[in-house]
Amino acid sequence: MIQQTPQAERFKKQMRDSLQHETLNSRAVTIARHANVYTCGDQDEMVYFIETGQIKLLLLSPEGKECLLAIHSAGDIFGELCLSGIGARHETAVAMKETKLKQIPCAQFFARLSRDLLSEGFVHDLAVRITGQQQSSLD
């Protein structure tokens, strides 16, 4: 498992604070336990910010085997691969317990990163998470 550095923890706090401010006037969406936020193949251009609860990201093999990519909790974001512009989701996001989310359109998310000078930290955080997912896949 990859160790979190003080710099990474500082960035996560800055990101949480920024997104809480960004979504202050947005309506929270409640996702029931075991319900999907989105599924593989969905066309969804939203980044999700978790207020409460937990979300797991899964990949499904053609044989139906599940590969757990990540578990996210309050203060985390997920769904950021929509920022690539590829279109369809490659993973499925499932609520592990009742979860409250805020949805942030891609353009609004990019604008917030730029406005709060968080782009460099976001890229670093994303690279660390991808590395962790690759290591998990090898296990």
Side-chain angles (χ1 to χ4, degrees):
M1 194 66 167
I2 294 175
Q3 294 282 327
Q4 289 296 321
T5 65
Q7 178 185 5
E9 290 303 318
R10 205 169 26 258
F11 165 74
K12 284 184 178 186
K13 183 184 180 330
Q14 290 172 330
M15 178 66 94
R16 277 187 207 112
D17 292 348
S18 176
L19 293 178
Q20 283 174 336
H21 182 72
E22 181 69 29
T23 62
L24 197 57
N25 297 317
S26 301
R27 186 177 60 84
V29 176
T30 301
I31 308 296
R33 182 178 185 213
H34 300 301
N36 292 350
V37 178
Y38 57 79
T39 59
C40 182
D42 284 356
Q43 300 286 324
D44 177 7
E45 294 193 7
M46 297 286 182
V47 175
Y48 295 89
F49 176 66
I50 303 173
E51 288 192 328
T52 63
Q54 283 186 316
I55 297 290
K56 64 181 175 180
L57 299 181
L58 304 168
L59 275 180
L60 294 174
S61 73
E63 298 81 33
K65 286 180 88 175
E66 285 185 354
C67 175
L68 178 66
L69 295 175
I71 295 175
H72 296 288
S73 57
D76 290 345
I77 60 169
F78 69 95
E80 63 277 67
L81 292 180
C82 71
L83 300 170
S84 69
I86 292 173
R89 297 284 185 178
H90 291 175
E91 77 281 5
T92 297
V94 182
M96 296 175 69
K97 56 184 169 182
E98 184 175 274
T99 301
K100 289 190 191 246
L101 306 170
K102 296 276 182 101
Q103 300 173 323
I104 308 166
C106 289
Q108 186 178 339
F109 184 79
F110 275 131
R112 175 53 69 170
L113 288 178
S114 179
R115 189 169 39 252
D116 289 347
L117 305 175
L118 294 171
S119 296
E120 183 178 333
F122 177 69
V123 170
H124 181 266
D125 184 60
L126 207 58
V128 167
R129 286 195 281 152
I130 290 168
T131 301
Q133 287 176 354
Q134 289 175 344
Q135 286 179 346
S136 292
S137 295
L138 292 174
D139 295 343

